[in-house]
Amino acid sequence: MSESGAEQDAVAPGEISDEEARSLFEDVVRIPSVTRDERACAERLVEFFEAHDREVWLDDVGNVRAPADDGVLLTSHVDTVPGDIPVRVEENDEGVPELWGRGSVDAKGPLCAMAIAAVTTGASFAGVVGEEVDSKGGRFLVEDRESVPDTVINGEPSGWEGITLGYRGLLGGTYVATSESGHSSRPDNNAIQDALDWWEAVETEFAHDEWVPVFERVTCKPVSFDGGASRDGLSVEATMKVQLRVPPSYTTDEIREIADGHLTNGTVNWDDKVEPVMQSPRTPVARAFRAAIREQGGEPSLLRKTGTSDMNVYARAWDCPMATYGPGDSDLDHAPNEHIELPAFDRSIAVLETVTERLLEE
């Protein structure tokens, strides 16, 4: 089924050599694509699909759209975080060639592997923008498509032997409080103390024993704080931006209600909500990945990530099996030494091709 929901002529798969695949990967890494400046990198992907006779375009927000067989939608993000890492291919101490550069792991390795597998199998593809900030591209994709794909494979680094089935959600907001100014010797709380007391109560509410896995915890993190006397000197003000990571045992609304219950002064504007997701390991896509990884000589592992990804967005909108997969060590996400082993990139393509072909045949 095509993106429009109408039957579409089958897209003839094409063959892609390891050399062409690695060349595309290096090209894409060499083109900077920090969030909101992804167009040049997206256009390189458009050129790749056009060279293989695939319908492709950039949509209204800059996503790369190459619809075909919607039995499988292969998708990953084009944008990266800032950071200048000289792009180069060099061998490590074991003689394994590695591609260094910002985005090589998160997520241009998975992105290019998805693009190549889409061409060789005839599956649908979307390279989305804005994942590192607000999932702008992923959110637009679910709103703009008229049909739900049968299966979604999202591209993020899991290691070529890993399959990510779960992500925690996110609840973010801004606490604001104001109090009358007064001498610091007075015992009454000012707005700064109110902010600190509220946050301490929230952290205490969600405290866990160390034996509880991080994925199953609500973790609380203040990300900025501004407080002090107002410009006119008549009040004390406090503003604190906070984030709470939400495990699948909660919804973001439940966490918000609990956090708001500890307010004694001030208000919170909860302006960032991403629901958690946990997929079953028994879905057809999870089973296909385990088999394909073993066929490539690997030992599959099932992963749960403590952050978020576009899979959270897709799972909220689309009732279909999905998993996240891609080459690269996620410990190198956003790191100054971001790099990926090229043989692992090659193997991830083989795994994706096998998985996609089997799912399209079902």
Side-chain angles (χ1 to χ4, degrees):
M1 196 68 70
S2 72
E3 267 192 80
S4 66
E7 292 293 338
Q8 178 171 313
D9 292 337
V11 175
E15 293 186 2
I16 296 176
S17 67
D18 289 348
E19 291 74 18
E20 182 183 357
R22 290 187 179 188
S23 177
L24 172 69
F25 184 20
E26 184 173 345
D27 285 352
V28 167
V29 172
R30 287 189 179 279
I31 302 172
S33 58
V34 175
T35 308
R36 306 294 187 251
D37 191 20
E38 302 102 332
R39 187 174 184 88
C41 189
E43 288 175 342
R44 176 64 183 91
L45 288 169
V46 169
E47 291 174 2
F48 168 74
F49 279 98
E50 288 178 339
H52 289 277
D53 298 321
R54 281 286 296 267
E55 177 188 13
V56 63
W57 71 89
L58 297 184
D59 67 20
D60 291 346
V61 299
N63 293 332
V64 181
R65 305 278 285 273
D69 191 330
D70 250 6
V72 177
L73 171 62
L74 299 168
T75 178
S76 185
H77 63 94
V78 182
D79 64 315
T80 73
V81 297
D84 184 15
I85 301 173
V87 179
R88 66 214 188 259
V89 176
E90 60 185 27
E91 292 186 353
N92 61 22
D93 293 341
E94 288 74 40
V96 177
E98 299 172 332
L99 175 60
W100 288 64
R102 173 56 79 222
S104 56
V105 172
D106 187 17
K108 293 183 176 182
L111 173 72
C112 291
M114 297 283 171
I116 292 158
V119 166
T120 59
T121 65
S124 287
F125 172 85
V128 299
V129 298
E131 189 273 346
E132 296 289 359
V133 174
D134 55 10
S135 289
K136 177 181 178 180
R139 295 179 192 277
F140 182 82
L141 185 67
V142 300
E143 293 172 359
D144 191 56
R145 287 179 55 105
E146 297 180 9
S147 61
V148 176
D150 295 339
T151 304
V152 174
I153 301 176
N154 183 51
E156 291 282 357
S158 58
W160 79 268
E161 296 176 274
I163 316 156
T164 303
L165 299 178
Y167 286 93
R168 288 194 298 177
L170 170 68
L171 179 65
T174 303
Y175 172 96
V176 178
T178 303
S179 62
E180 291 183 357
S181 60
H183 197 279
S184 61
S185 64
R186 291 172 55 184
D188 299 335
N189 267 13
N190 63 20
I192 296 172
Q193 290 170 298
D194 286 334
L196 297 176
D197 286 351
W198 172 71
W199 190 243
E200 182 181 9
V202 171
E203 289 184 315
T204 301
E205 174 74 40
F206 295 116
H208 289 281
D209 294 329
E210 291 185 2
W211 58 266
V212 177
V214 174
F215 182 81
E216 297 174 10
R217 304 180 195 175
V218 177
T219 53
C220 313
K221 190 72 65 175
V223 294
S224 70
F225 188 92
D226 184 27
S230 61
R231 288 187 177 183
D232 61 13
L234 299 179
S235 62
V236 175
E237 301 171 340
T239 301
M240 178 167 53
K241 291 185 178 295
V242 301
Q243 290 183 350
L244 295 95
R245 298 288 175 166
V246 182
S249 55
Y250 290 94
T251 66
T252 57
D253 284 343
E254 289 170 335
I255 297 301
R256 183 195 65 201
E257 184 176 353
I258 293 169
D260 284 347
H262 290 286
L263 288 169
T264 57
N265 185 33
T267 59
V268 185
N269 175 31
W270 300 106
D271 57 3
D272 193 0
K273 291 174 36 175
V274 179
E275 297 300 327
V277 56
M278 188 68 220
Q279 292 278 306
S280 168
R282 294 179 292 276
T283 63
V285 64
R287 290 197 300 268
F289 266 114
R290 290 197 296 273
I293 290 167
R294 290 191 180 101
E295 288 170 16
Q296 288 296 316
E299 184 58 40
S301 58
L302 305 180
L303 308 176
R304 305 182 302 175
K305 296 292 186 71
T306 58
T308 60
S309 78
D310 280 337
M311 190 167 104
N312 298 71
V313 175
Y314 303 142
R316 182 74 171 171
W318 295 331
D319 183 16
C320 67
M322 58 186 66
T324 291
Y325 176 79
D329 180 355
S330 60
D331 286 343
L332 297 176
D333 289 4
H334 307 179
N337 60 334
E338 188 174 0
H339 64 278
I340 194 168
E341 293 185 354
L342 288 174
F345 172 71
D346 299 339
R347 284 192 289 270
S348 74
I349 296 171
V351 169
L352 277 170
E353 290 173 336
T354 299
V355 169
T356 304
E357 288 168 353
R358 289 176 179 168
L359 292 172
L360 292 178
E361 290 171 357
E362 291 184 357

